[in-house]
Amino acid sequence: MRDVWTFFIIVVVSFLIMTITGIGIWIGLPLLGLFGAMSLAPCFIFSWRFFWKEHRNKVKLKDISHMFFIGMASVLGILICEYSLSISLHYILTVAFGSETNARSSLGGILLIASIQAFIIASFCEEGAKYFLVWYASFAHEDAAEPPHDAPYTFALYGIACALGLATVENLGFMVVVSMKQNYFLLIFAFFARSLLSVPIHTFTGALIGCEIGLNHFGFQQKRFHQIIRMPLVLHGAFDFFLMFPPLFVAHYNHPWAEWTFLLSLISIFITAWAGRLANKKLRYLVVQESMHRVSEV
C-alpha cells in the first residue's frame, strides 16, 4: 500500500511541476517551472526530516499524505476567509479614517493595518485552519478497528503534514505571482525567502499545534482552543508583521529614513529560529510523554 501512495504523490508532484512550467511558458518565463519545482523542495526536506528519517513506522504514509493534501485543499477556504476579513478591514478603515488612503498616510494607521493583516487576517486564518484539521483528524477514526493514531507523536506529524501542504500551495502561488513581474532577480529572492523562512515557520507552528492536540487527546493536559493556538498565532503574526510593515511604511509614509525600516524584516529570521527552538523542545517533551504512555500500558 505504501508503494501505491508513493506513486500517487509522485504523480501529483509531477502534475504541479508541469502546470507551473506551462504557466511559465505561457507568460514568457520558462524558468518558472524550475523555480516552481525547487519551491517544492523545502516541503519534502521537512517531510523527510520529520517522517521518513525517524518516524515512518509510527504512522501510515496514507494518513500523512491525506493530511498533506487536505492542507493543500484548505488554502481555498483560507483565501475566502482572508478575503472576507480584508473587506471588513477596508470598511473599518473607511469609517475610522474617512478612507483607507488616509489610514495609510499616518504612522498609526500603517501600524494598525500591518497588525490586523498579520495577526488576524493571515495568522489567525492559517493557524486556525491547521488547528481545525488536526483536531478533526483526532476524532475522525475513533470508531475504526485500528485507529491511525495510537501515540501522541502522530498528531505532531499530522500538524506538520497539514502545514507543509498549505505551505506548498502558498509557495507555488507566490512564485506564479512574482513571475508575472518578469524579474528573475525578484523570482530568485522570493524563492529563497519563502524556502528559508515561510516554509519553516509554517512547519514549526504546525508542529506546536499538533503536539498540543496530541497531549490533549491522550490526557496529558486539557488545554482549550485559545491556549493551544496562542503561541503559534503570536509567532506567525509577529513573523508576518515584520515583513508587512516595511513595504507599507515605505510606500505610504514620507520619511527620509523610511527605507531603513526594511531592516526590521531581519527580525523574522530570529522569530523563525525561536519558533524552531520551541517546536523542537515541544517535540522532545512529546517523545518523553509517549515513552511514559507506552510504559504505563505494559
Side-chain angles (χ1 to χ4, degrees):
M1 190 65 180
R2 183 182 293 271
D3 293 336
V4 174
W5 276 95
T6 302
F7 175 75
F8 179 69
I9 292 172
I10 292 173
V11 170
V12 172
V13 172
S14 301
F15 174 76
L16 289 174
I17 293 174
M18 288 189 294
T19 300
I20 200 169
T21 302
I23 293 174
I25 294 173
W26 180 52
I27 65 175
L29 200 64
L31 285 181
L32 175 61
L34 174 63
F35 288 109
M38 292 170 63
S39 68
L40 298 175
C43 299
F44 288 101
I45 290 173
F46 277 101
S47 298
W48 174 81
R49 168 63 182 85
F50 290 104
F51 177 66
W52 287 102
K53 185 180 178 182
E54 299 176 359
H55 304 286
R56 58 180 176 178
N57 294 323
K58 293 186 177 181
V59 61
K60 295 178 181 178
L61 177 60
K62 179 187 70 173
D63 298 317
I64 290 295
S65 302
H66 186 226
M67 291 302 298
F68 180 84
F69 291 124
I70 286 179
M72 294 178 70
S74 70
V75 172
L76 178 60
I78 291 172
L79 286 175
I80 294 173
C81 180
E82 290 181 345
Y83 180 72
S84 301
L85 290 175
S86 296
I87 294 176
S88 300
L89 173 61
H90 175 75
Y91 176 77
I92 292 171
L93 294 176
T94 301
V95 172
F97 294 90
S99 69
E100 188 170 345
T101 303
N102 291 339
R104 293 176 182 269
S105 63
S106 65
L107 178 59
I110 292 173
L111 286 170
L112 177 63
I113 292 171
S115 298
I116 294 176
Q117 287 180 340
F119 288 94
I120 298 178
I121 296 178
S123 181
F124 181 77
C125 289
E126 293 175 13
E127 299 307 319
K130 294 175 194 175
Y131 172 89
F132 173 77
L133 293 176
V134 179
W135 175 83
Y136 173 78
S138 69
F139 296 101
H141 304 285
E142 283 299 304
D143 297 329
E146 296 183 4
H149 38 265
D150 61 351
Y153 202 94
T154 304
F155 294 95
L157 295 176
Y158 283 171
I160 292 169
C162 176
L164 287 175
L166 193 159
T168 297
V169 177
E170 198 176 72
N171 255 14
L172 292 174
F174 267 92
M175 296 304 291
V176 171
V177 171
V178 172
S179 68
M180 298 294 183
K181 301 182 184 296
Q182 303 284 329
N183 188 327
Y184 279 111
F185 174 78
L186 190 60
L187 191 62
I188 294 172
F189 175 79
F191 163 72
F192 281 105
R194 299 278 323 161
S195 300
L196 299 177
L197 294 176
S198 298
V199 174
I201 195 71
H202 273 298
T203 304
F204 298 146
T205 55
L208 288 171
I209 290 174
C211 287
E212 297 289 359
I213 293 178
L215 291 170
N216 268 10
H217 187 81
F218 284 87
F220 295 113
Q221 63 181 25
Q222 291 299 321
K223 288 187 177 181
R224 297 183 180 275
F225 168 75
H226 68 277
Q227 294 173 307
I228 292 175
I229 205 175
R230 180 173 53 203
M231 183 55 68
L233 184 66
V234 171
L235 289 170
H236 191 164
F239 174 87
D240 283 346
F241 175 82
F242 288 109
L243 293 178
M244 292 177 177
F245 173 73
L248 284 172
F249 188 80
V250 171
H252 301 283
Y253 197 69
N254 187 19
H255 192 280
W257 296 94
E259 294 185 359
W260 287 95
T261 57
F262 278 102
L263 292 175
L264 291 174
S265 300
L266 297 176
I267 297 176
S268 295
I269 298 175
F270 297 100
I271 293 173
T272 303
W274 184 30
R277 183 175 180 274
L278 291 176
N280 186 54
K281 184 178 179 181
K282 181 64 71 172
L283 287 168
R284 289 186 177 184
Y285 174 75
L286 196 66
V287 170
V288 172
Q289 295 298 320
E290 182 178 325
S291 300
M292 295 174 59
H293 174 71
R294 292 188 182 279
V295 170
S296 65
E297 288 183 337
V298 176

